[in-house]
Amino acid sequence: MTASLIPEPTENAAQARNVLLLFANFGGNLGDILIAECTVEWLCRSYPGCSIHIHIQDGRREEALVQSFAARHPNVTFLPPMAVTPESADGANLYQDLLDALRGHDIAQVFSAMDAVICLGGGHWSGVERPLFMAAMIAVAAERCAHVSFMPHSMASVIKDEVKPILGPCLNRLAVAAMRDPLSLRLAQALGVRTAVLVPDSAFLTARSVPLRERPNATPRILVSLRHNSAGATDPSWWEKVPAIGQQITDQGATLELLSTYPRQDQALTTALQGKLGCFVHDLPDLDGIFAALSQADVTISDRLHVLIMGTLLGIPILPVLTLGKVAGYVDYLGWDVFVPSFAQLDWNRHIAPLLQSWPERHDLLRRYAGAARVTLETALARTFPPALS
């Protein structure tokens, strides 16, 4: 349900704990929905009875996704969209202008009413305006709330010069600035973030019961999920190589399937790939469908981070396509040894065959990694949040 901007006092105010989740993305990317869902599930398990409020990033709200999430989590309320208009839009002074506007905004009163403010994880800090707005929100939240933390996130590989001097002072206000891969951790440390720690992605908190498998299918199922701007996809030579990739897979007696965790954004690329490959395309609007499809695959090829993480949770051998820094960071953290720089460079013998040949061992390795990641994540969070919420 949608809440008024300032939460109403509860009948049991002495025991109630109000938690605000900042920077949620409900714009259509199911990976971001998974982050929000796992965070809410963890809060409900760890702090029964807490009241959870969600702030959605400006421009990243699809009402159907909000209503679906609210139906699954009746203890969650969503703050209404809020307009923050600084007096000037002068780039040199934008951060200070945003600080001034937020300090006089109702959101400052919301921060004061919270026992904890948790910034949701994801890929952050790219561009200029959005990072400066996020930094200003964190600064004002820290002024009003005693406990502000950042769930595991990744730093953009390129931080704009306007943002660099803000990030260190901003993130050092947090109890923990959790980085979800070693590349992001090193970048944060280089920018002077003293509170940065390495913690696995929030998705490893999932409460989902994932099916166990002992062996691959007799006819291997190869599932591909590529981003709309996958590296090379705008190059005609990239497309010239795609039919040969499909032919390699079918020549080996395997089947090829496509899916997207962000259908609206990836539709053009997925449709074009289907035309080149002549393969089946999954139409899956929710996380349940994505997990079900992935659980039946034998190898998952993707440059979407949460497709790779969901494959890890299921123990399905993954073939990361390293078109994004956060995917390269995940490969580094996982210590995974089979990956490809671009989908157009995919080769059955070098990439897919090794995964199938060692499938049971890799299945066990990924499941063990997922279990260890969850323990690491929950331990790190338990050390951070009890003073604020218990």
Side-chain angles (χ1 to χ4, degrees):
M1 59 181 292
T2 298
S4 61
L5 194 57
I6 303 174
E8 294 291 333
T10 62
E11 294 180 6
N12 208 7
Q15 285 76 39
R17 291 294 180 265
N18 282 302
V19 182
L20 175 62
L21 302 184
L22 280 182
F23 311 137
N25 183 350
F26 279 70
N29 187 340
L30 294 180
D32 290 303
I33 303 297
L34 181 61
I35 286 175
E37 189 143 298
C38 291
T39 303
V40 166
E41 289 171 349
W42 171 76
L43 283 168
C44 292
R45 290 196 305 270
S46 303
Y47 308 101
C50 70
S51 183
I52 301 170
H53 313 271
I54 296 182
H55 160 269
I56 298 177
Q57 295 186 59
D58 184 40
R60 297 187 174 186
R61 181 183 184 117
E62 287 189 4
E63 203 57 39
L65 290 174
V66 172
Q67 295 304 321
S68 174
F69 192 94
R72 294 194 304 277
H73 302 285
N75 62 327
V76 171
T77 57
F78 287 85
L79 300 189
M82 63 177 191
V84 178
T85 307
E87 290 189 6
S88 75
D90 183 349
N93 299 314
L94 180 58
Y95 178 66
Q96 185 60 51
D97 292 341
L98 286 166
L99 279 175
D100 294 340
L102 287 167
R103 284 168 177 153
H105 194 279
D106 282 349
I107 192 65
Q109 298 178 55
V110 175
F111 293 147
S112 297
M114 294 295 144
D115 296 284
V117 175
I118 302 174
C119 307
L120 283 170
H124 294 298
W125 312 114
S126 59
V128 175
E129 287 80 6
R130 193 181 299 276
L132 292 181
F133 175 78
M134 290 176 65
M137 286 279 277
I138 290 169
V140 176
E143 292 170 357
R144 298 298 190 102
C145 179
H147 187 94
V148 183
S149 291
F150 218 133
M151 294 292 281
H153 68 289
S154 49
M155 306 286 283
S157 55
V158 177
I159 304 294
K160 298 292 186 180
D161 289 341
E162 299 92 326
V163 178
K164 285 180 180 178
I166 302 296
L167 271 183
C170 166
L171 294 179
N172 284 330
R173 295 173 181 267
L174 307 179
V176 170
M179 302 293 159
R180 64 185 180 182
D181 65 73
L183 302 182
S184 294
L185 178 67
R186 292 193 287 270
L187 180 55
Q189 291 171 334
L191 291 169
V193 182
R194 299 186 302 275
T195 58
V197 296
L198 183 61
V199 185
D201 185 87
S202 306
F204 289 103
L205 293 170
T206 185
R208 290 171 178 269
S209 176
V210 293
L212 288 170
R213 290 175 57 190
E214 296 181 355
R215 60 184 63 86
N217 294 299
T219 299
R221 297 173 66 172
I222 312 302
L223 193 148
V224 175
S225 179
L226 294 180
R227 300 169 64 251
H228 70 107
N229 56 351
S230 182
T234 58
D235 181 356
S237 65
W238 190 91
W239 286 100
E240 290 170 4
K241 298 171 185 175
V242 168
I245 292 171
Q247 193 64 49
Q248 282 187 58
I249 292 171
T250 56
D251 284 350
Q252 295 295 329
T255 60
L256 184 60
E257 304 169 14
L258 301 173
L259 69 73
S260 171
T261 54
Y262 199 165
R264 176 170 53 80
Q265 191 175 80
D266 297 340
Q267 183 176 6
L269 177 64
T270 302
T271 301
L273 283 171
Q274 182 188 26
K276 289 284 187 180
L277 298 168
C279 57
F280 177 75
V281 178
H282 291 275
D283 181 16
L284 303 168
D286 56 36
L287 287 169
D288 289 338
I290 298 293
F291 270 101
L294 287 171
S295 71
Q296 296 304 311
D298 296 300
V299 173
T300 297
I301 304 169
S302 186
D303 58 357
R304 281 210 174 272
L305 176 61
H306 283 94
V307 171
L308 299 172
I309 290 177
M310 285 187 274
T312 302
L313 290 164
L314 293 162
I316 303 302
I318 59 174
L319 179 53
V321 182
L322 305 187
T323 61
L324 281 179
K326 61 185 178 182
V327 173
Y330 182 63
V331 169
D332 186 357
Y333 202 175
L334 180 60
W336 201 244
D337 62 338
V338 182
F339 47 83
V340 62
S342 166
F343 182 71
Q345 295 172 261
L346 180 66
D347 178 82
W348 178 276
N349 292 325
R350 285 191 294 127
H351 302 119
I352 299 176
L355 297 176
L356 291 172
Q357 290 161 4
S358 58
W359 198 95
E361 296 82 4
R362 290 181 180 274
H363 174 80
D364 291 343
L365 175 67
L366 290 173
R367 290 298 296 256
R368 288 198 304 271
Y369 177 88
R374 176 170 179 156
V375 171
T376 298
L377 181 51
E378 289 190 328
T379 300
L381 295 177
R383 289 173 179 165
T384 303
F385 291 101
L389 298 176
S390 296

